[in-house]
Amino acid sequence: MHTTIFYYTGTGNSLWVARKLAELLGETELVPIAKYPEIIPQGTIGLVFPVHMWGVPAPVLRFVEALRPGRPEYVFAVAVNGSQVAATLVQLQKVLAEHNLTLAAGFGVVMPSNYTPFGGPGPQEEQNRRFRLAEEKVRYIADKVKEKAGLPVEKGPFWQSLLSATVYKLSFDRVPQMDAQFWVDDKCNHCGICARICPAHNITLQEGQPVWNHQCEQCFACINWCPQAAIQFGKNTAQRPRYHHPEVSLKDIILR
Ligand SMILES: Cc1cc2nc3c(=O)[nH]c(=O)nc-3n(C[C@H](O)[C@H](O)[C@H](O)COP(=O)(O)O)c2cc1C
């Protein structure tokens, strides 16, 4: 069974899930969504991506829009989240159906949160617990994918679906401009890593300082990977911990 997993990631959680699945499934190619490949879906197709604001991130939707007509044998998705998967997979299922694709199964995997303004990843013990459970869940997903199982997509409780229907929808068009809240403090040593890891190429350097150009995808790679923790978002991030998946390196993210 040849599988292609298309992944999108800011801080490596989704990349880690995609890699583990590839290992368990065998014969699997990993393709970053950030490169917007125009593909003809065939064989087994997986989409692995983070939940953003209780829904599917725009780059993943653009990827689906760009799919050329094809007849994949089996399509599955994994929405990697910080414990609120909400109606993300229901949304994806509908979008895929508009492109004549059936999402046969949609799984949530809970990982430490990379949303720094709300506190970020939490205590190390809780992060470790999530890593352990995520590993188990990925094994379960791989078994189901091997069986080509048809399963109802996973979703959160009703109150989370309400957030998908309200906050996600209301904020979606404003996401690219939300980068107005990013700023750098005087720890910035002008290394330029933020510009290199931004999947949207939204960061340029002016006199060595990062400038966000309002095409942000809100993946939060820049704030979390800055080696000096010099990037801030709004007023409350200075004391908040930064996060990336411990088994994913800066190089992996630059190459994605
Ligand atoms: C802008 C933004 C919005 C987020 N919204 C949600 C959310 O609605 N529900 C949730 O459970 N996690 C949310 N998260 C957390 C991420 O989904 C989670 O940390 C994910 O594992 C990150 O994956 P990545 O490392 O592959 O980017 C959000 C993160 C960001 C940056």
Side-chain angles (χ1 to χ4, degrees):
M1 171 179 87
H2 186 269
T3 304
T4 314
I5 295 182
F6 297 95
Y7 71 90
Y8 178 66
T9 191
T11 52
N13 286 345
S14 308
L15 175 55
W16 182 87
V17 169
R19 273 184 188 161
K20 277 277 153 193
L21 277 172
E23 235 171 79
L24 294 164
L25 294 172
E27 277 187 72
T28 299
E29 191 186 349
L30 292 183
V31 180
I33 278 179
K35 299 214 188 302
Y36 302 124
E38 266 193 39
I39 60 137
I40 301 173
Q42 51 201 355
T44 293
I45 300 281
L47 292 175
V48 181
F49 60 89
V51 174
H52 281 175
M53 292 189 204
W54 302 282
V56 181
V60 179
L61 296 177
R62 287 201 292 271
F63 168 78
V64 174
E65 289 295 324
L67 285 175
R68 306 206 347 240
R71 283 186 181 216
E73 282 163 42
Y74 181 78
V75 182
F76 71 96
V78 184
V80 185
N81 63 90
S83 76
Q84 296 182 19
V85 70
T88 305
L89 291 158
V90 178
Q91 180 197 357
L92 182 68
Q93 192 167 41
K94 283 184 191 151
V95 174
L96 286 169
E98 285 162 16
H99 291 79
N100 299 318
L101 293 168
T102 304
L103 183 63
F107 308 90
V109 171
V110 177
M111 283 278 201
S113 173
N114 63 355
Y115 195 68
T116 325
F118 284 178
Q124 192 60 53
E125 210 174 296
E126 173 60 13
Q127 290 184 42
N128 294 343
R129 191 184 72 86
R130 289 183 180 205
F131 292 141
R132 270 197 312 277
L133 292 175
E135 186 133 19
E136 281 171 28
K137 183 72 182 267
V138 171
R139 283 183 195 286
Y140 165 81
I141 296 170
D143 287 345
K144 294 297 156 195
V145 171
K146 280 182 193 162
E147 288 167 22
K148 293 200 171 66
L151 296 166
V153 297
E154 294 180 15
K155 60 179 181 191
F158 180 66
W159 64 268
Q160 287 181 15
S161 298
L162 274 182
L163 291 169
S164 301
T166 53
V167 183
Y168 176 85
K169 284 204 176 129
L170 290 173
S171 56
F172 187 80
D173 289 338
R174 292 178 32 237
V175 166
Q177 287 85 36
M178 285 182 188
D179 60 3
Q181 291 197 67
F182 283 117
W183 54 282
V184 272
D185 64 27
D186 52 17
K187 295 195 293 300
C188 175
N189 63 0
H190 321 297
C191 69
I193 284 173
C194 50
R196 292 179 67 198
I197 56 163
C198 175
H201 309 291
N202 181 44
I203 302 176
T204 47
L205 298 179
Q206 286 179 16
E207 293 171 16
Q209 298 276 105
V211 173
W212 286 261
N213 293 297
H214 311 314
Q215 292 182 28
C216 184
E217 293 170 356
Q218 290 276 296
C219 72
F220 272 48
C222 56
I223 185 169
N224 281 295
W225 286 98
C226 171
Q228 309 301 321
I231 296 177
Q232 310 298 341
F233 186 84
K235 293 184 186 145
N236 302 320
T237 57
Q239 308 309 323
R240 301 255 159 93
R242 297 330 195 229
Y243 172 80
H244 62 80
H245 193 284
E247 291 173 26
V248 172
S249 69
L250 184 58
K251 196 170 155 206
D252 296 328
I253 297 294
I254 289 172
L255 292 176
R256 83 194 183 296

